[in-house]
Amino acid sequence: MATQTVPQTGTQPATQVAEQRDFPQVTDPYRRELLAHCYRMTGSVHDAEDLVQETYLRAWRAYHSFEGRSSVRTWLYRIATNVCLTALEGRDRRPLPAGLGAPSADAGAPLEENGEIPWLEPVPDTLLDEGTAADPLAVVTDRDTIRLAFVAALQHLPARQRAVLILRDVLRWRAAEVAQALETTTASVNSALQRAHATLEKAHLTEDTVSEPTPEQKAMLDRYVQAFWEKDVDAIVAMLTRDAIWEMPPFTGWYQGNENIGRLIDTQCPGGVHDMRMVATRANGQPAFGLYMRGADGTFTPFHLQVLTIGPDGVEHVGAFFDESLFDLFGLPASLPADYDPAPVTG
């Protein structure tokens, strides 16, 4: 992300000017993890980027009064959290289709699109890995706590409960620190955390962590890409777990079961044999692919972005995001030539 531009100092005292000249050097190392924090809070990459900029603007304005009673990192997180809470007032949560409460759909049912819902957005790994992390373990922590299932589950929580859970369980703040940051009591913080845990338990969120795919899983991903190229539905079904889930916002339906998902791809996906190319990327600490569809002139144009959750028995979840702007966000090509040959995931 771009370095924060320090506004003109005007008639500020000389000591304040000198302090604020040090501001970028002191605060920039935390920009990446603050982006991850704002993304967890909002479920939107674009909102998170704007809120990080607002955080830095507020911090710059108040930097002369920072007395060092807490670390700069803690101070910035306090500002960012309250910026997010203000931004979330009156806003709807960002769900995935399965979070809307409707039962899973049958593959033969008509697709229903809803562009009015502010859907959860995936985040590129490259965006969160940019810059220098203040803590070398932060990248691992971020990838574990920005996995798609975790961020989707957070969307079930009211904003203040969301903030409490992130500050306590992700950042490991003491209850008293959270109470001070949110201007509330320790008892209220503990109560909010208890309610948040109960909600997430109902969402059946597991404690599984995000890890790099094994060589065997990378080989499976290569077969997955090839199966879409050949539109080999049987091969795709074989790589999905029995209870796999397929979601594709802005379409409101979600689909459970590998056979049901196979019928969906077979009957409702417009691509045929040699019509679908995939380009590998990473999202939410997970394998992801930009899927391109062949056009009349032979070139391939963006169709959707798939984010995969892989377990020991295969692909457990696919989020297929039908938002072409994500291709630019992820640094994926605007189109592919007719003779494009994808690099193997195992390469």
Side-chain angles (χ1 to χ4, degrees), residues 39 50 87 127 133 180 191 198 201 206 241 268 274 285 291 296 315 330-332 340:
Y39 172 70
D50 290 343
L127 196 59
Q180 183 179 8
S191 176
E201 187 175 348
T206 68
T241 62
Q268 305 225 40
H274 297 174
L291 188 149
V315 179
F330 277 76
L332 294 169
Y340 176 80

Side-chain angles (χ1 to χ4, degrees), residues 95-274:
L96 287 175
L100 297 179
S104 61
D106 181 80
L111 300 180
E112 295 184 9
E113 184 176 354
N114 189 329
E116 300 301 317
I117 295 175
W119 297 102
L120 179 68
E121 298 173 350
V123 62
D125 280 17
T126 53
L127 196 59
L128 296 185
D129 289 349
E130 285 180 351
T132 303
D135 179 354
L137 296 177
V139 171
V140 176
T141 301
D142 285 348
R143 286 187 173 179
D144 186 19
T145 59
I146 53 91
R147 66 193 189 275
L148 205 60
F150 183 77
V151 179
L154 288 175
Q155 295 299 305
H156 291 272
L157 303 176
R160 288 185 70 84
Q161 284 186 30
R162 201 180 307 170
V164 167
L165 184 137
I166 293 170
L167 294 175
R168 291 283 282 124
D169 288 2
V170 176
L171 300 179
R172 303 298 180 184
W173 285 20
R174 293 178 291 108
E177 291 179 296
V178 178
Q180 183 179 8
L182 301 181
E183 298 183 347
T184 187
T185 65
T186 301
S188 294
V189 167
N190 290 333
S191 176
L193 183 63
Q194 186 176 17
R195 294 195 302 274
H197 284 161
T199 300
L200 293 190
E201 187 175 348
K202 291 179 182 178
H204 304 294
L205 179 66
T206 68
E207 296 298 325
D208 294 338
T209 60
V210 170
S211 59
E212 287 296 315
T214 64
E216 292 77 14
Q217 288 172 331
K218 288 182 178 180
M220 183 195 68
L221 291 174
D222 283 330
R223 297 195 303 273
Y224 186 84
V225 170
Q226 186 64 24
F228 270 88
W229 175 239
E230 300 291 346
K231 202 172 185 181
D232 186 341
V233 175
D234 290 340
I236 295 171
V237 168
M239 285 180 272
L240 299 172
T241 62
R242 182 176 180 180
D243 295 325
I245 290 176
W246 182 283
E247 303 182 82
M248 46 185 197
F251 298 99
T252 57
W254 61 282
Y255 306 84
Q256 186 165 27
N258 57 349
E259 296 289 348
N260 191 35
I261 295 169
R263 288 192 294 273
L264 176 76
I265 296 171
D266 186 32
T267 61
Q268 305 225 40
C269 176
V273 176
H274 297 174

